[in-house]
Amino acid sequence: MPVHFSPAIWLLVAAVLVQLAYAAYYFWPFAARQTPDVEPAPAHEQERGVSIIVAARNALEQLRHLMPILLTQDYPRFEIVLVDDRSDDDTGLYAQQLTQYYPNVRLVTVGRTPEGLAPKKYALTLGIKVARYPYLLFTDADCVPTTNQWVRHMARAFDSGADIVLGYGPYAEAPGFLNRLVRFETLLTGLQYLSFAERGQPYMGVGRNLGYSQATFFATKGFASHIRSLSGDDDLLVQDAVALGKTAAVVTHPAAQTVSEAPAGWGQWWTQKRRHMSAGSRYRTTDRLRIGTFMLANGLFYLATLGALFFSPVDWIPLGIAWLVRTSTVVAAYAGASRRLQDRQSVALLPVLDAAYFLAYFLLTASLVLYRKPSRWK
């Protein structure tokens, strides 16, 4: 006997099947993979030096929190390259004082950015060019590594021959729904780019916890392909490197994470997300299709649900089954990723946060289509 469902239900089923496929191939294997225990430091750490690059503008207070953690990293050979990007507070003075007391701290001062160039990318380029060591780690001035083992874990990933090291950078917990939403979005983004990379399909990283070799940077001609774009000093660099055949390793150990303070207000988060999403149009076609299909399936799931509720209320049984299957699937994937990354999330709120995020994502996409001017780097 043929089954007669409304078009909304068939669309809902199709969206759920796509999400099940992503969960089975990417997300569940990632969530189930165990993070290995800390191993003894290999002897060749003495030979492999690491340069930590931090670009900062008017970031005096943030650096006062960050630098003590960086300076006490448990790693035999590393330097910190601080790039003072046109600061008009005491950032430069603080950095100069550090260079007098710590020989492995170096200061690069940016007086002005050439017309038309993205300021942060220009600042990072200057820092990379003066780096003494062949392996580079990046974080932001408003981030703090969770432990003094951050450099060791990230640098060890280069042992596999990887050219790029992708780390994870959660946001600190704080009261309020916005903080929960920001942290959920960070977890979902991390689940995507880390699980895709573990499947051999790296497409992005986050600048607050990222590593690559100097050779990789120069092979891609630095940020040349997108030097005028304000966003993309992390994900577009990874895009260019992967296009050249460079490989990526994933580091998920909690001791290798960097923590940031989440945006304090909705406007700040909205501006930040618009800047990040504006780089997506420059992704390779295969990556846009892979990410776009996942996002579209999630969006259509909610649209089809509304369609079924308003135009086909008699289909409540298949609607309920689809919701049960889909919700249990995504909650299991998100909760598993939360455990592996030790980024604590409220399991009970995950369905609510998922719906809220995809509504926000739809509005953000619409805003980028209607008004494309991104925000500036400070």
Side-chain angles (χ1 to χ4, degrees):
M1 178 180 295
V3 178
H4 298 285
F5 292 140
S6 67
I9 292 297
W10 286 116
L11 182 60
L12 189 71
V13 170
V16 171
L17 289 176
V18 170
Q19 293 171 77
L20 286 174
Y22 274 79
Y25 187 73
Y26 293 109
F27 303 153
W28 288 341
F30 174 84
R33 188 170 288 113
Q34 296 295 317
T35 299
D37 293 331
V38 178
E39 301 174 358
H44 62 264
E45 282 185 356
Q46 295 286 347
E47 303 172 3
R48 184 203 295 118
V50 173
S51 294
I52 305 169
I53 315 292
V54 180
R57 186 176 189 213
N58 295 332
L60 176 61
E61 294 305 317
Q62 293 94 326
L63 288 177
R64 282 175 170 165
H65 288 90
L66 170 64
M67 290 305 297
I69 302 296
L70 291 186
L71 289 167
T72 56
Q73 286 295 300
D74 181 20
Y75 196 79
R77 292 182 65 202
F78 73 95
E79 67 169 354
I80 303 169
V81 181
L82 280 176
V83 186
D84 176 20
D85 183 17
R86 302 164 294 132
S87 297
D88 50 25
D89 64 356
D90 288 335
T91 294
L93 178 60
Y94 176 70
Q96 287 177 351
Q97 292 172 341
L98 289 175
T99 62
Q100 295 173 7
Y101 290 99
Y102 300 95
N104 63 334
V105 177
R106 303 171 66 196
L107 172 63
V108 176
T109 302
V110 180
R112 60 177 295 274
T113 302
E115 186 67 28
L117 301 188
K120 186 178 182 182
K121 293 175 184 176
Y122 181 71
L124 289 174
T125 299
L126 296 184
I128 292 168
K129 286 185 174 180
V130 304
R132 292 192 178 105
Y133 298 124
Y135 296 98
L136 312 173
L137 292 183
F138 298 85
T139 191
D140 291 334
D142 59 354
C143 300
V144 177
T146 54
T147 70
N148 69 346
Q149 299 296 309
W150 172 62
V151 173
R152 171 158 284 140
H153 281 282
M154 293 292 285
R156 188 179 299 163
F158 288 112
D159 289 351
S160 64
D163 305 289
I164 308 163
V165 180
L166 306 177
Y168 182 63
Y171 284 103
E173 289 187 64
F177 183 77
L178 174 61
N179 179 266
R180 291 180 180 272
L181 180 62
V182 170
R183 292 177 53 247
F184 169 77
E185 183 267 331
T186 302
L187 177 69
L188 177 57
T189 301
L191 176 59
Q192 290 179 79
Y193 77 81
L194 294 173
S195 67
F196 286 16
E198 286 194 341
R199 280 294 189 181
Q201 300 165 350
Y203 71 92
M204 68 163 281
V206 291
R208 58 187 181 271
N209 197 359
L210 178 66
Y212 47 81
S213 65
Q214 234 179 8
T216 297
F217 180 79
F218 291 121
T220 63
K221 298 182 181 179
F223 305 118
S225 68
H226 48 92
I227 191 65
R228 297 182 183 276
S229 173
L230 293 176
S231 59
D233 57 275
D234 41 22
D235 52 351
L236 294 183
L237 188 285
V238 173
Q239 285 279 310
D240 288 346
V242 172
L244 293 176
K246 304 298 183 181
T247 58
V250 169
V251 178
T252 60
H253 199 286
Q257 296 179 4
T258 61
V259 178
S260 310
E261 293 295 325
W266 288 94
Q268 185 182 354
W269 178 69
W270 182 271
T271 300
Q272 182 189 78
K273 288 304 300 175
R274 274 180 51 88
R275 186 174 69 249
H276 293 168
M277 289 175 61
S278 66
S281 62
R282 295 175 176 266
Y283 284 13
R284 293 172 300 159
T285 301
T286 53
D287 291 326
R288 292 204 305 270
L289 287 174
R290 191 179 300 117
I291 302 161
T293 299
F294 172 73
M295 302 302 288
L296 180 62
N298 282 272
L300 288 178
F301 172 79
Y302 289 109
L303 289 176
T305 296
L306 293 175
L309 289 174
F310 281 100
F311 301 110
S312 185
V314 296
D315 289 333
W316 64 271
I317 293 180
L319 175 63
I321 294 173
W323 260 82
L324 178 63
V325 171
R326 189 264 178 186
T327 301
S328 59
T329 297
V330 299
V331 167
Y334 299 159
S338 173
R339 286 191 297 272
R340 178 177 174 183
L341 297 169
Q342 294 192 19
D343 184 3
R344 189 174 64 178
Q345 304 277 333
S346 171
V347 176
L349 274 179
L350 286 176
V352 176
L353 295 171
D354 182 75
Y357 171 68
F358 282 101
L359 172 61
Y361 186 87
F362 171 79
L363 296 175
L364 282 161
T365 302
S367 76
L368 283 172
V369 172
L370 297 174
Y371 180 68
R372 299 194 61 85
K373 185 177 180 181
S375 60
R376 288 192 62 82
W377 153 253
K378 295 189 178 182

